[in-house]
Every structure is written in structure tokens, then in C-alpha cells.
């Protein structure tokens, strides 16, 4: 299989995923990503003429419940157990910081 994925592309994908990959790991991940793309190319060769599209693998359709909040009497107990709260909400740390300050 000829290499279709470059190390620069792997670096780019890693940056998008907020992953740090050491330079010595690039060849390994480049080969892996190239093999994954190769698997999809193999799948695209399968003749699917006459095959009905599959939208669900189960026979259950729209199994849902009403979106109703219940047991709000436990709200304060929940807030009391949270490490940080503000104005009746649980505060959580920032996960995606696109400001560029922490790079």
C-alpha cells in the first residue's frame, strides 16, 4: 500500500483533536492512519447495488420518554455535593479553550 497520509496531515489531525504526538511517534501513527484509510478504500470497492440502506439495526422506532424533570426536591443536595456552584448551577472547568493562551 502506498502511503497516502503524510506526517504533516497526522500532525494536523492531532492538533484538531488536541492531542500531543511526539516526533518519534509520527511514523507509527502515520502508518496506522494510512491503514485505516486503506480499510475504507477496501469497503468502497464492495458492490452494494440492490442493497437497501440500513438506517437502524433494531426494530425499535423512536423509543423515547417524555422529557419531564422529576425529583427537583433533590436539587439542593446535588448542588451541595458539587465542587463548585454559581447561581444554582454546577460550574465545570473549561475543556475546549480556543483562546490560544495555553499553548
Amino acid at each position: 500500500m502506498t502511503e497516502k497520509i503524510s506526517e504533516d496531515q497526522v500532525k494536523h489531525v492531532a492538533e484538531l483533536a488536541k492531542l500531543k504526538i511526539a516526533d518519534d511517534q509520527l511514523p507509527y501513527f502515520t502508518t496506522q492512519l494510512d491503514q485505516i484509510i486503506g480499510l475504507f478504500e477496501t469497503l468502497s470497492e464492495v458492490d452494494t447495488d440492490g442493497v437497501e440502506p440500513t438506517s437502524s439495526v433494531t426494530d425499535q422506532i423512536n423509543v423515547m420518554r417524555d422529557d419531564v424533570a422529576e425529583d427537583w426536591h433533590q436539587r439542593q443536595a446535588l448542588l451541595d455535593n458539587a465542587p463548585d456552584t454559581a447561581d444554582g448551577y454546577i460550574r465545570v472547568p473549561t475543556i475546549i479553550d480556543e483562546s490560544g493562551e495555553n499553548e
Side-chain angles (χ1 to χ4, degrees):
M1 175 186 309
T2 61
E3 186 170 308
K4 297 168 190 73
I5 304 296
S6 70
E7 289 186 358
D8 287 337
Q9 289 170 315
V10 172
K11 283 182 187 179
H12 179 69
V13 170
E15 286 175 14
L16 292 173
K18 306 273 186 194
L19 298 173
K20 291 183 181 179
I21 296 178
D23 287 339
D24 63 332
Q25 294 175 314
L26 273 175
Y28 172 77
F29 287 112
T30 302
T31 301
Q32 268 200 337
L33 192 53
D34 190 47
Q35 289 172 347
I36 291 168
I37 299 298
L39 290 173
F40 281 98
E41 289 173 350
T42 302
L43 286 175
S44 69
E45 296 171 4
V46 175
D47 180 15
T48 58
D49 289 341
V51 177
E52 290 289 321
T54 302
S55 59
S56 177
V57 294
T58 70
D59 60 353
Q60 298 180 350
I61 299 172
N62 294 334
V63 179
M64 301 178 132
R65 63 169 177 79
D66 290 334
D67 189 15
V68 177
E70 296 178 9
D71 294 329
W72 279 100
H73 64 276
Q74 296 178 357
R75 182 172 190 256
Q76 191 56 49
L78 173 70
L79 293 173
D80 290 344
N81 283 311
D84 192 11
T85 61
D87 301 321
Y89 294 98
I90 298 173
R91 293 189 60 185
V92 296
T94 302
I95 295 173
I96 300 176
D97 181 5
E98 296 181 350
S99 68
E101 295 175 6
N102 297 324
E103 294 180 10

